[in-house]
Amino acid sequence: MRTALITGVTGQDGSYLAELLLAKGYQVHGVVRRASTFNRGRIDHLRADPATRDRFFLHYGDLGDPESLTSVVDAVRPQEVYNLAAQSHVGISFTMPTYTGDVTAIGTVRLLEAVRRKVPEARLYQASSSELFGKAEETPQNERTPFHPRSPYAVAKLYSFWAAVNFREAYGMFAANGILFNHESPRRGENFVTRKITRAVAEITRGQRERVTLGNLEARRDWGYAGDFVDAMWRILAAEKPDDFVIGTGETHSVRELCEAAFAEVGIELEWEGGGGAEVGRERGAGTVRVAVDPKYYRPAEVDELQADAAKARRVLGWTPTVAFPELVRMMVRSDLAEVKRP
Ligand code: NAP
Ligand code: GDD
């Protein structure tokens, strides 16, 4: 039985990855932070299911605390380590740049060091991000596209990217980066734009609110399905040699298109009016404002367009996405509709 350790197991990706590895017969250990309220909703089913509960273990630890990381790595002695933990919100990283740097950048080195000291033969996956491309010099972006980070989050992820490469080159460790483009799901945090919109669509449909207020409608992202992307993480660690891979669908859409697609799922067609911070999207026919813009959601520096060229992952790992944008939006809206009851 292979043993894997996942940091960030309570997050969107951590929960899908734990499911995938357990389905493959792994013993899975996750690092959880102490919180005053339980935040394990995404993994509770794995702790309850008789098919998985005996192979799924949680340990307290924090990327800010090197001793806890060393202890858990030493106790578990994993063959595979997936470093998914991070302060992962780009917008919030502008408000908390120092904290973001401590967790999302230095936290990676704390974990790399724990692995180097205790289980140097383990394979380590580092959750790198398409945010590294930032003000991208070319579209689509691949492994040779230069990096130009545009936020404290992206700067921290850049540090972690190179830390993983450095441990590979300096110590011969199997440390690999997945440069993942945006990936979403019904388990996405509610303050990322996809879930913010699909949740609002469900609440509007159920008569609980009237509109959703957003920031930049023009930003374009390559949105894929998280379930597909955790499979890529596993393939990256199963590869012959440690390497870095771009993972994304190759399709790009704007936030505006995302709004249109999500509202269309409940039969609402949007008509846009005005521009910039005064723009609104009205429901055709009724005239009710369903989307408003508030500049408070604009970021001090924006990433305008991301689109993946994942040819290397296709060639070397045999990875291809299975869920396209319309299906992803439908899945998320339907899931939120099922969760949000009529008042
Ligand atoms: P997420 O839902 O925000 O989950 C983040 C996880 O990190 C949570 O389990 C969180 O624990 C944990 N965490 C945060 N700070 C920690 C700390 N100091 N010590 C230990 N654990 C900590 O993120 P995600 O969407 O699953 O993304 C997973 C990783 O991939 C992140 O590193 C993210 O930056 C990166 N990434 C994500 C995407 C994407 O589109 N989703 C794309 C590229 C890269 P709590 O539950 O206790 O908060
Ligand atoms: N969150 C949010 N909220 N974003 C908004 C809003 C809003 O109200 N209105 C417009 N946006 C725009 C943001 O300005 C950004 O251009 C785009 O929607 C996507 O924002 P997020 O969903 O917050 O994701 P992100 O692209 O910044 O970051 C996500 O993907 C990265 C990979 O490219 C996160 O998951 C990162 O952790 C990840 O590395």
Side-chain angles (χ1 to χ4, degrees):
M1 192 187 293
R2 288 188 74 74
T3 302
L5 177 67
I6 304 174
T7 71
V9 73
T10 52
Q12 171 189 257
D13 291 5
S15 66
Y16 283 110
L17 179 65
E19 261 171 28
L20 178 85
L21 297 178
L22 287 164
K24 287 183 185 296
Y26 280 60
Q27 184 180 90
V28 176
H29 296 259
V31 176
V32 293
R33 300 194 283 177
R34 191 267 158 183
S36 67
T37 50
F38 277 106
N39 59 353
R40 300 181 191 167
R42 294 182 178 111
I43 53 171
D44 275 342
H45 60 294
L46 299 174
R47 310 238 294 151
D49 185 346
T52 54
R53 68 182 175 213
D54 297 338
R55 291 182 288 119
F56 185 46
F57 306 93
L58 300 179
H59 308 259
Y60 281 108
D62 196 302
L63 282 196
D65 177 37
E67 288 80 15
S68 64
L69 298 176
T70 306
S71 300
V72 70
V73 166
D74 198 22
V76 170
R77 306 202 71 77
Q79 287 141 321
E80 296 173 21
V81 178
Y82 295 86
N83 184 30
L84 309 187
Q87 192 303 90
S88 72
H89 199 285
V90 174
I92 293 170
S93 78
F94 287 98
T95 313
M96 304 175 70
T98 310
Y99 172 77
T100 301
D102 187 51
V103 172
T104 305
I106 305 298
T108 304
V109 177
R110 293 188 184 106
L111 183 65
L112 280 163
E113 265 300 290
V115 172
R116 182 179 78 81
R117 285 163 196 256
K118 298 296 178 187
V119 280
E121 68 287 357
R123 295 181 167 212
L124 184 138
Y125 172 87
Q126 170 56 24
S128 286
S129 164
S130 53
E131 279 289 302
L132 298 180
F133 299 120
K135 197 172 165 58
E137 280 185 22
E138 60 183 9
T139 297
Q141 297 88 31
N142 60 39
E143 293 79 4
R144 294 176 305 283
T145 304
F147 295 142
H148 185 148
R150 294 274 281 172
S151 64
Y153 166 82
V155 171
K157 282 288 182 186
L158 184 70
Y159 182 99
S160 286
F161 175 93
W162 285 113
V165 172
N166 180 241
F167 273 60
R168 182 162 88 210
E169 293 177 354
Y171 306 118
M173 283 171 56
F174 192 114
N177 285 288
I179 307 172
L180 271 50
F181 284 61
N182 299 50
H183 45 279
E184 319 293 314
S185 73
R187 296 184 200 166
R188 186 57 144 155
E190 289 175 29
N191 59 355
F192 296 95
V193 77
T194 49
R195 187 77 197 289
K196 182 171 171 181
I197 292 169
T198 61
R199 189 77 187 179
V201 165
E203 288 174 3
I204 289 166
T205 308
R206 299 287 186 238
Q208 293 185 5
R209 64 196 278 194
E210 196 174 285
R211 63 175 70 171
V212 59
T213 304
L214 300 170
N216 180 8
L217 299 177
E218 310 307 337
R220 301 182 71 83
R221 291 290 181 277
D222 180 335
W223 280 294
Y225 170 54
D228 286 340
F229 284 52
V230 299
D231 172 58
M233 296 176 189
W234 175 77
R235 286 169 189 258
I236 287 171
L237 288 200
E240 242 170 64
K241 60 184 182 61
D243 203 350
D244 310 315
F245 293 92
V246 157
I247 304 292
T249 70
E251 245 191 73
T252 184
H253 294 275
S254 65
V255 173
R256 184 189 300 280
E257 289 164 9
L258 172 63
C259 289
E260 289 167 354
F263 277 98
E265 283 301 318
V266 294
I268 295 177
E269 195 182 334
L270 295 175
E271 288 182 315
W272 300 102
E273 191 184 292
E279 185 161 10
V280 291
R282 288 187 191 277
E283 179 172 342
R284 185 185 290 275
T288 316
V289 171
R290 296 304 186 193
V291 180
V293 171
D294 187 333
K296 82 173 177 197
Y297 292 114
Y298 292 166
R299 293 171 181 177
E302 178 62 285
V303 171
D304 294 326
E305 178 167 23
L306 293 173
Q307 184 179 7
D309 166 8
K312 179 177 166 185
R314 218 170 21 249
R315 195 178 66 249
V316 179
L317 307 174
W319 180 82
T320 45
T322 66
V323 178
F325 179 75
E327 200 182 335
L328 174 68
V329 175
R330 187 165 311 130
M331 175 201 300
M332 292 178 69
V333 170
R334 287 188 182 173
S335 165
D336 277 320
L337 281 170
E339 269 182 28
V340 179
K341 305 283 173 246
R342 286 192 186 282

